[in-house]
Amino acid sequence: MNLRLDSVLRDTLNASALRAALNAVQANALAPLYALPPAGRRRLAGAPIQIDGNTLDPDIQLLLRLDNLLPHTTKTDAATARAHFRQLCKLIPGTPPELQRVTDLTVRGTAGQLGARLYTPRPLPPTTPSPTITGTSPTAAQPATEPTAAGTATPPLGADGRPAPTTAGGPATAASDPATAPGADGRPAPTTAAGSSTAAAGPAGRSTPAAAGPGSGARAGRGSRDGIGRGLLVFFHGGGWVVGDLDTHDAVCRSIAAEAGIRVLSVDYRLAPEAPAPTAAEDAIAAFTWAVDHADDLGVDPNLIAVGGDSAGGNLAAVVAQQTVRRDLPHPALQVLLYPAVDLVARRPSRDLFSEGFILTEEDIIWYRDMYTPDPTLRPDPIVSPLRAEDLTGLPPTYLTTAGFDPLRDEGREYAQALAAAGNPLTHIHHSTLPHGHTNLLTLPGTTRQAHTHLTNHLRSALS
């Protein structure tokens, strides 16, 4: 057995083989490696990595060990960085799930049309319970950054052993806050923003927008003419506002649509440095309002349209949630912020702890920031740093994730605390063993897969 593992190690960590896999565009190039028994993968990964009381997931550690042998490029120009990111994204998606259809279309931006892609899932089977994961939910009584004796935060748990969604007043229960209490299946029940109204059911099971006007959080009329949930996630890809596109996050959007049973609209917003801030933010706002205006054409309920994204895309989703409320526009039913970048000004301890070796580096962060905001005076503005908004009241319910091995961990936790303190319904899940960027790693088993399933179950409950 030891000889076999040693042979696998030599073969797997062969840089030329990995380069060939990249060139061949093999989405399942890593599948044989992760088909090995867990003990074998741990042996290949090497000695456990422990930082700040957390232990890196061994499957992630193995991927990082392989990544160190791939050809890396110094970020000197956007075109090269984009090409490199596209290549890397071809190795990690696994086999995309089958959908009912995928449609390329255009949506409204601030200066013309933007490319977009609509993912329509097949009708879902009955709900299955989501897996148990390690997470934290910040509350007024217990912030996410409050350590226990073991060095990690202890979440309030639901009856099924999973973290329960919380509000600023503490863990939600059926008695204290029915809007955010777990449902009978243990998954979070749909939440509404304060002051939301109820829509009346319209023809064919569709909802009639409530008389309260734009931004109402109505939740009636979820029936669908095609047997698919009437919710929609408007998704903004990550990549530091500089790299990434519809294709780099195609597998993520397909998987969300298939597993959550909702439609996903991925938006190809304009990138820096050609279009510096706040262009991407304004494009995101315009695309979301376009989706609300064209809800019937998209086959969705205008009151069940969420925004979400990973990293820089999470930043854009947070900005959309804030700005649509402040500008009195229709606002999202839910904001999904996956390890978001929310402050382009301050530097927190996690930036030093995880500055190298965990997918997103300190060099990356500075380069992306400078490309997106060449004018430093714009960085404190909430249009690019949503954590710095003076007023966070009245925002939509939030699903926010942070990762234990992420340089953006601390600012994400701080934003979660600020949202809760302002009275916004919040579900904050802290994945203590995972790094920044884990949402894209769909080919990995174990904890990474569990994190994705928790996300899609939450979306399915809230929007489908």
Side-chain angles (χ1 to χ4, degrees), residues 323-408:
Q323 295 297 320
T324 52
V325 170
R326 304 298 168 238
R327 300 179 190 187
D328 197 26
L329 298 169
H331 53 265
L334 175 74
Q335 57 174 332
V336 178
L337 314 180
L338 307 177
Y339 38 84
V342 289
D343 188 3
L344 276 66
V345 179
R347 180 188 176 94
R348 293 166 178 81
S350 58
R351 290 267 297 270
D352 294 317
L353 285 171
F354 311 107
S355 62
E356 296 290 337
F358 299 101
I359 298 179
L360 179 69
T361 68
E362 177 66 13
E363 179 186 5
D364 294 335
I365 293 172
I366 294 173
W367 189 78
Y368 289 138
R369 180 203 66 190
D370 292 348
M371 291 290 102
Y372 185 51
T373 54
D375 177 6
T377 64
L378 184 61
R379 293 171 191 166
D381 194 308
I383 199 73
V384 297
S385 294
L387 177 57
R388 294 185 170 266
E390 294 182 0
D391 183 7
L392 292 176
T393 60
L395 296 182
T398 303
Y399 181 92
L400 186 152
T401 69
T402 48
F405 288 80
D406 181 3
L408 304 186

Side-chain angles (χ1 to χ4, degrees), residues 285-297:
I285 296 166
F288 170 76
T289 56
W290 178 93
V292 175
D293 292 342
H294 293 81
D296 196 56
D297 297 329

Side-chain angles (χ1 to χ4, degrees), residues 113-420:
Q113 297 298 302
L114 303 171
R117 189 170 293 165
L118 179 66
Y119 300 85
T120 303
R122 295 178 171 181
L124 273 175
T127 302
T128 55
S130 66
T132 299
I133 64 172
T134 301
T136 61
S137 298
T139 67
Q142 179 183 318
T145 52
E146 179 181 337
T148 64
T152 59
T154 302
L157 300 177
D160 62 347
R162 296 186 298 107
T166 63
T167 64
T173 65
S176 64
D177 190 350
T180 54
D185 61 353
R187 295 183 294 112
T191 57
T192 58
S196 62
S197 56
T198 302
R206 290 179 291 153
S207 65
T208 302
S216 65
R219 291 292 181 272
R222 293 192 178 197
S224 173
R225 291 166 292 182
D226 54 11
I228 300 168
R230 294 280 286 168
L232 173 72
L233 175 65
V234 180
F235 185 85
F236 307 113
H237 65 79
W241 310 277
V242 179
V243 305
D245 52 38
L246 298 181
D247 291 333
T248 60
H249 286 65
D250 180 76
V252 172
C253 292
R254 286 175 184 268
S255 184
I256 291 174
E259 296 181 30
I262 61 171
R263 290 168 173 84
V264 176
L265 179 67
S266 182
V267 177
D268 203 14
Y269 57 89
R270 287 174 290 170
L271 299 176
E274 297 88 345
T279 302
E282 295 293 351
D283 278 351
I285 296 166
F288 170 76
T289 56
W290 178 93
V292 175
D293 292 342
H294 293 81
D296 196 56
D297 297 329
L298 297 170
V300 302
D301 184 338
N303 298 302
L304 289 174
I305 299 180
V307 289
D310 63 309
S311 191
N315 168 282
L316 297 179
V319 169
V320 170
Q322 287 188 14
Q323 295 297 320
T324 52
V325 170
R326 304 298 168 238
R327 300 179 190 187
D328 197 26
L329 298 169
H331 53 265
L334 175 74
Q335 57 174 332
V336 178
L337 314 180
L338 307 177
Y339 38 84
V342 289
D343 188 3
L344 276 66
V345 179
R347 180 188 176 94
R348 293 166 178 81
S350 58
R351 290 267 297 270
D352 294 317
L353 285 171
F354 311 107
S355 62
E356 296 290 337
F358 299 101
I359 298 179
L360 179 69
T361 68
E362 177 66 13
E363 179 186 5
D364 294 335
I365 293 172
I366 294 173
W367 189 78
Y368 289 138
R369 180 203 66 190
D370 292 348
M371 291 290 102
Y372 185 51
T373 54
D375 177 6
T377 64
L378 184 61
R379 293 171 191 166
D381 194 308
I383 199 73
V384 297
S385 294
L387 177 57
R388 294 185 170 266
E390 294 182 0
D391 183 7
L392 292 176
T393 60
L395 296 182
T398 303
Y399 181 92
L400 186 152
T401 69
T402 48
F405 288 80
D406 181 3
L408 304 186
R409 180 197 67 185
D410 291 352
E411 63 190 75
R413 281 178 161 177
E414 189 175 328
Y415 193 51
Q417 292 171 355
L419 289 170

Side-chain angles (χ1 to χ4, degrees), residues 8-243:
V8 170
L9 178 61
R10 286 194 300 270
D11 292 342
T12 302
L13 301 183
N14 183 290
S16 61
L18 287 173
R19 292 188 184 95
L22 281 173
N23 294 332
V25 192
Q26 295 176 356
N28 290 305
L30 300 178
L33 180 64
Y34 286 99
L36 291 171
R41 299 199 303 270
R42 284 193 294 270
R43 165 80 181 274
L44 293 173
I49 296 176
Q50 296 179 327
I51 299 177
D52 202 25
N54 298 323
T55 302
L56 184 66
D57 180 89
D59 287 323
I60 293 287
Q61 185 176 334
L62 177 55
L63 183 69
L64 294 177
R65 188 172 184 183
L66 298 177
D67 182 63
N68 288 334
L69 293 177
L70 290 173
H72 283 235
T73 59
T74 301
K75 288 182 170 61
T76 55
D77 66 275
T80 301
R82 290 168 188 163
H84 183 64
F85 187 63
R86 289 191 198 102
Q87 282 188 316
L88 290 177
C89 287
K90 291 173 182 177
L91 270 180
I92 57 179
T95 302
E98 294 186 5
L99 302 178
Q100 184 161 296
R101 61 182 171 273
V102 177
T103 308
D104 286 330
L105 65 155
T106 59
V107 303
R108 180 178 62 233
T110 53
Q113 297 298 302
L114 303 171
R117 189 170 293 165
L118 179 66
Y119 300 85
T120 303
R122 295 178 171 181
L124 273 175
T127 302
T128 55
S130 66
T132 299
I133 64 172
T134 301
T136 61
S137 298
T139 67
Q142 179 183 318
T145 52
E146 179 181 337
T148 64
T152 59
T154 302
L157 300 177
D160 62 347
R162 296 186 298 107
T166 63
T167 64
T173 65
S176 64
D177 190 350
T180 54
D185 61 353
R187 295 183 294 112
T191 57
T192 58
S196 62
S197 56
T198 302
R206 290 179 291 153
S207 65
T208 302
S216 65
R219 291 292 181 272
R222 293 192 178 197
S224 173
R225 291 166 292 182
D226 54 11
I228 300 168
R230 294 280 286 168
L232 173 72
L233 175 65
V234 180
F235 185 85
F236 307 113
H237 65 79
W241 310 277
V242 179
V243 305

